[in-house]
Amino acid sequence: IIPGDRAKGYKSWFILRRFPIFYAPYFYHSLEKQPRHSGFLIPNLVPRSQRGFMVGLGYYWAINRSYDLTYRFFDYNTNAFGHHVDFRGKPNDKTDYDFILYGVQDRGGIPGTSPPQTYSGLNIYFAGRSDLGNGWHALGFVNYVSSFGFRQVWSDSFNEAIGSEIHSRVFLDKSWSSYTFDLVADRMENYQTIEAPLLNSKGESNK
């Protein structure tokens, strides 16, 4: 252990209440106040879940001072693979964004269903903001889900699993003197079945 710098462990066990949880032949942990080092993340082990036994592995890539990327891979014993990618950027002090991609290759289906029902899918989320200068600001978030069935089965959030609406919105505004100009683009999907979205915010068919 080097205070304020780093800590290393060799042939280490992580023990919780005298029960061994995790073994690492080599373990590195930064002790800096603002650590940014690329490396593998602590694996995830979930013995029991509604999707069966799960093993997760991840890697964090500190690209440079302004960008980083985190990738996690999940393997379920129900013959499904999950991928989670989180790319963050802050090119300057006035702009930052976060791009998240989550996808599942469901090849085994939900246990107990006959025939097995598979819900492979993709969720893409982007959020960002920027000060464009001269009083102009841009802010927005975009959310895309390939199907409601995928969201219900593979979402880790209870609110997302039961909520049928998906919103995306982008703002552009400028303020000067006692006036403000706003331009807003909004998109809302309302799922009525687990297969495909049916109605948008205008009551029109999306599919």
Side-chain angles (χ1 to χ4, degrees), residues 50-137:
Q50 63 179 0
R51 305 151 190 159
F53 182 83
M54 185 273 285
V55 177
L57 302 173
Y59 185 81
Y60 173 76
W61 181 22
I63 303 174
N64 53 43
R65 295 183 60 184
S66 300
Y67 303 94
D68 60 29
L69 184 144
T70 303
Y71 171 73
R72 289 185 178 274
F73 171 78
F74 306 98
D75 184 3
Y76 299 90
N77 68 349
T78 54
N79 200 17
F81 299 133
H83 308 272
H84 187 279
V85 180
D86 187 354
F87 177 69
R88 302 185 302 173
K90 190 176 179 62
N92 53 62
D93 59 348
K94 298 180 180 180
T95 303
D96 61 76
Y97 58 85
D98 191 1
F99 174 82
I100 298 175
L101 185 149
Y102 174 59
V104 175
Q105 299 167 276
D106 187 359
R107 300 182 296 172
I110 300 177
T113 59
S114 181
Q117 299 178 11
T118 60
Y119 290 99
S120 299
L122 187 68
N123 184 191
I124 299 175
Y125 183 81
F126 174 86
R129 64 177 181 87
S130 179
D131 183 351
L132 305 177
N134 197 26
W136 289 93
H137 296 85

Side-chain angles (χ1 to χ4, degrees), residues 1-9 26-38 60:
I1 298 176
I2 302 178
D5 187 7
R6 64 184 183 273
K8 294 182 180 181
Y26 174 77
F27 180 80
Y28 176 91
H29 180 67
S30 175
L31 302 179
E32 298 180 4
K33 293 183 179 180
Q34 295 181 345
R36 288 183 56 82
H37 294 285
S38 301
Y60 173 76

